[in-house]
Amino acid sequence: MTSTHWLFGDQLGPGFLDGADGEGPARDAPVVMIESRDVFRRRRFHRAKAHLILSAMRHRAAELGDRVTYVRADTYREGLRQAVGGGPVTVHHPTSRAALALVRSLDGVTVLPPRGFLLRQDDFRGWAEAQRGLRMESFYRHVRRDHALLMDGGEPAGGTWNLDHENREQPPPGRRTLGVAAPYRPREDAVDEEVRRDLDRWERDGDVSFVGRDGPRRFPASRREARSALRRFLSHRLADFGAYEDAMLADDEVMSHSLLSSSLNLGLLDPVECVEGAEAAWRAGEAPLNSVEGFVRQIAGWREYVWQLYWYFGEDYRTSNALGHTGSLPDWWNELDADAVSARCVATVLRQVRDTGWTHHIPRLMVLGSYALQRGWDPAAVTDWFHRCFVDGYDWVMLPNVVGMSQYADGGRMTTKPYTSGGAYIDRMSDLCRPCPYRPDRRVGADACPFTAGYWNFLHRHRGRLEQNARISRAVHGLDRLKDLSALLEQERERGEGPP
Ligand SMILES: Cc1cc2nc3c(=O)[nH]c(=O)nc-3n(C[C@H](O)[C@H](O)[C@H](O)COP(=O)(O)OP(=O)(O)OC[C@H]3O[C@@H](n4cnc5c(N)ncnc54)[C@H](O)[C@@H]3O)c2cc1C
Ligand code: SF4
């Protein structure tokens, strides 16, 4: 009896059905897809994210036509019973621990290897066990060698592995936008309208509640759209990707970023086609090496590393809280109430999240994540917030990025020091500070920058731990030179959790 193949909502590209390397579903196997309402009932997702995922699933179902049984059910378990009874089922390894535990608990379900990543988990384990400490840079070189990516024989193309030092430019002075070609944006269709009507109805029935604004859809929902987005990025935007990768401009939220994360994480694009496309652009002389290496590093380095660490670190990683942070997220933050905020950086970025469900990596790390870290908010609640509010957020990608990289809750298993800064960094890397009512160089007083004051307050709170860390101990000792430290600590106690 042919097994039915189950496609999760983030397994939507052709690679999840092609049976390549003999480890996929049977050729022409019937397919089941399940829309579980409980997923949306359990958490308050950004509406644009719910819209994107459902639109992408329904677009895939329309492509598969009669081959697919598309089930709407409360739970996956119930949906599967409805679709296949007790018949045999195959499924590619899901991307979350909860979904993996579920499929493993079901009778008659065979779990096939994961798709959509470059390395197998046992290859990563072999690599990790041969290391003295886990560092992304060594992992990235391993992947480059293993996949012959940007390599000339045994050497890195261009003679160097890492061009990061060329990719930390401040934004060009006097410019409100970077001036690169606009990214691909999809056109909505009848499927999008149907999804929006369903979301309206769920909200009206009081069944489900969302946060954020939705529409028009800004990210690809089908393989065809995702391929167009990739092509446009490679031919019109990749060349400028590198230099300003870490910069922020209030009026140019996208700059030269690729906007491909949601397509990669829905399975609509495979990382191999992205990095090979970038390398081909460099070899054809269409993009400089710093941009191409920077982009390849994001996908073959960071994305892959994060995926592997999610599984490698184990289930307990999710509850890590090395700094003992227990603060709750305030309502204005939970509601994405950008209009209540005066601090221009937080207001600008929160507005981007409210309106699009996306910002690039520096606003995530050095504005949103840094603000939460300085205030001592519970890392599990911060992770949940990022997961719900970002169109590209999934359990596997959020845990290492938020618990590890952004909140340092793992005590340094993923990064060597906490990522946080005073206002001077934001001022250097953006045009956000000049019109802000706060001053980045002021730490005490009515115009004290919340990041500058928050930074010193954070170092003071964790002095005992952080002065042991060679990468940050000098900054910690700077506390001894602050004549106004007591006033600053008093001010931060009084500020409370209202919008900055
Ligand atoms: C606190 C925090 C939370 C984040 N949450 C997510 C998330 O939920 N989902 C997500 O895909 N990325 C996440 N990232 C990583 C990164 O911010 C986004 O991948 C990126 O901003 C997406 O925009 P882009 O596609 O234009 O990326 P680009 O800047 O164009 O980068 C190219 C690609 O590299 C990959 N990438 C780069 N860095 C990472 C990383 N750290 N982890 C995983 N992939 C990476 C993405 O697939 C991205 O599309 C997070 C980073 C931080 C600091
Ligand atoms: S002054 Fe401080 S709060 Fe205002 S934009 Fe700059 S970093 Fe943000």
Side-chain angles (χ1 to χ4, degrees):
M1 183 178 183
T2 312
S3 295
T4 300
H5 188 70
W6 178 4
L7 285 181
F8 272 92
D10 57 358
Q11 299 182 333
L12 303 180
F16 293 88
L17 282 180
D18 65 8
D21 57 29
E23 293 185 318
R27 216 176 130 75
D28 301 326
V31 172
V32 60
M33 295 175 73
I34 305 166
E35 221 178 85
S36 154
R37 183 86 72 92
D38 270 3
V39 169
F40 296 102
R41 281 194 193 110
R42 275 199 298 265
R43 292 169 122 161
R44 195 161 169 235
F45 284 102
H46 198 296
R47 211 181 122 127
K49 176 178 187 165
H51 183 269
L52 175 65
I53 294 175
L54 294 176
S55 173
M57 288 181 72
R58 293 182 193 181
H59 275 96
R60 184 63 174 135
E63 282 164 11
L64 293 170
D66 292 344
R67 190 175 167 192
V68 68
T69 306
Y70 195 87
V71 187
R72 294 183 171 97
D74 279 340
T75 64
Y76 288 128
R77 199 179 281 272
E78 189 188 308
L80 198 64
R81 198 171 36 241
Q82 244 174 281
V84 297
V89 170
T90 56
V91 63
H92 276 295
H93 187 298
T95 60
S96 76
R97 287 182 173 276
L100 182 63
L102 170 73
V103 297
R104 283 188 174 153
S105 74
L106 297 170
D107 289 337
V109 175
T110 305
V111 182
L112 305 171
R115 285 275 193 261
F117 296 91
L118 296 165
L119 241 63
R120 300 175 74 109
Q121 287 168 17
D122 46 358
D123 290 341
F124 180 81
R125 188 165 289 279
W127 170 84
E129 281 165 5
Q131 307 298 305
R132 264 195 284 156
L134 297 185
R135 287 293 158 251
M136 200 296 279
E137 181 63 29
S138 345
F139 172 71
Y140 166 63
R141 293 180 188 188
H142 172 72
V143 178
R144 291 258 305 264
R145 283 197 196 93
D146 197 61
H147 279 67
L149 257 178
L150 275 184
M151 298 294 292
D152 284 331
E155 296 303 314
T160 168
W161 291 102
N162 183 326
L163 287 144
D164 247 7
H165 56 281
E166 292 181 32
N167 290 354
R168 294 197 192 109
E169 295 285 320
Q170 294 173 243
R175 295 245 299 271
R176 296 181 58 171
T177 68
L178 212 50
V180 293
Y184 168 87
R185 294 295 187 190
R187 199 170 297 153
E188 291 207 356
D189 61 13
V191 175
D192 292 298
E193 273 175 43
E194 181 205 58
V195 172
R196 199 157 281 124
R197 276 197 303 276
D198 285 350
L199 298 183
D200 286 342
R201 185 164 42 79
W202 295 357
E203 280 197 296
R204 254 195 330 271
D205 294 350
D207 201 17
V208 170
S209 158
F210 296 109
V211 66
R213 296 180 183 171
D214 150 41
R217 176 164 61 78
R218 302 163 73 88
F219 300 93
S222 66
R223 168 78 180 158
R224 189 182 51 74
E225 289 182 352
R227 289 280 305 156
S228 301
L230 174 62
R231 270 198 305 273
R232 180 158 180 87
F233 173 71
L234 293 176
S235 56
H236 289 83
R237 297 165 51 78
L238 170 65
D240 295 297
F241 178 81
Y244 301 110
E245 215 184 316
D246 285 358
M248 297 177 275
L249 285 170
D251 290 340
D252 188 356
E253 66 194 33
V254 174
M255 302 186 75
S256 52
H257 290 274
S258 69
L259 295 180
L260 295 175
S261 53
S262 58
S263 302
L264 280 157
N265 297 352
L266 285 166
L268 294 173
L269 289 177
D270 190 86
V272 171
E273 63 189 321
C274 299
V275 292
E276 288 186 352
E279 175 166 358
W282 175 65
R283 297 212 181 265
E286 291 159 4
L289 190 56
N290 67 313
S291 285
V292 170
E293 191 280 311
F295 181 69
V296 168
R297 166 184 300 273
Q298 298 308 309
I299 293 184
W302 281 111
R303 180 175 190 271
E304 191 67 25
Y305 193 52
V306 159
W307 162 255
Q308 298 292 351
L309 289 182
Y310 174 76
W311 298 102
Y312 185 73
F313 280 159
E315 175 61 21
D316 293 351
Y317 191 75
R318 125 181 4 262
T319 51
S320 312
N321 194 353
L323 300 178
H325 284 174
T326 55
S328 339
L329 276 51
D331 286 350
W332 60 270
W333 182 278
N334 273 325
E335 295 300 324
L336 309 180
D337 188 2
D339 299 334
V341 179
S342 309
R344 189 149 179 265
C345 54
V346 179
T348 305
V349 172
L350 208 58
R351 189 169 299 118
Q352 289 170 6
V353 179
R354 179 193 70 194
D355 295 348
T356 70
W358 181 93
T359 64
H360 77 70
H361 72 125
I362 293 298
R364 294 187 203 205
L365 188 65
M366 299 309 288
V367 178
L368 299 171
S370 174
Y371 192 83
L373 176 67
Q374 291 180 356
R375 262 96 223 138
W377 295 347
D378 175 3
V382 178
T383 308
D384 178 62
W385 180 84
F386 270 102
H387 183 142
R388 292 183 294 104
C389 293
F390 279 77
V391 287
D392 52 18
Y394 294 86
D395 200 50
W396 68 267
V397 67
M398 277 308 169
L399 278 188
N401 270 311
V402 184
V403 170
M405 191 177 328
S406 151
Q407 299 301 298
Y408 200 67
D410 64 359
R413 289 176 83 186
M414 184 169 174
T415 59
T416 47
K417 66 171 177 108
Y419 277 99
T420 187
S421 74
Y425 172 85
I426 295 176
D427 191 27
R428 192 168 62 251
M429 296 308 294
S430 78
D431 62 353
L432 291 158
C433 293
R434 191 167 292 195
C436 179
Y438 301 110
R439 305 295 345 123
D441 56 353
R442 298 274 295 155
R443 53 180 178 262
V444 179
D447 60 354
C449 165
F451 281 88
T452 305
Y455 179 69
W456 290 115
N457 191 24
F458 170 77
L459 293 185
H460 172 78
R461 261 197 343 264
H462 296 294
R463 180 170 189 145
R465 169 185 277 270
L466 297 180
E467 65 191 353
Q468 314 295 325
N469 180 331
R471 291 208 59 204
I472 199 168
S473 57
R474 254 187 67 196
V476 177
H477 290 130
L479 283 165
D480 300 332
R481 291 194 302 275
L482 300 189
K483 297 205 171 51
D484 49 9
L485 183 61
S486 328
L488 182 151
L489 299 177
E490 181 58 28
Q491 161 189 289
E492 292 310 285
R493 257 193 304 277
E494 278 173 9
R495 251 187 183 167
E497 288 300 348

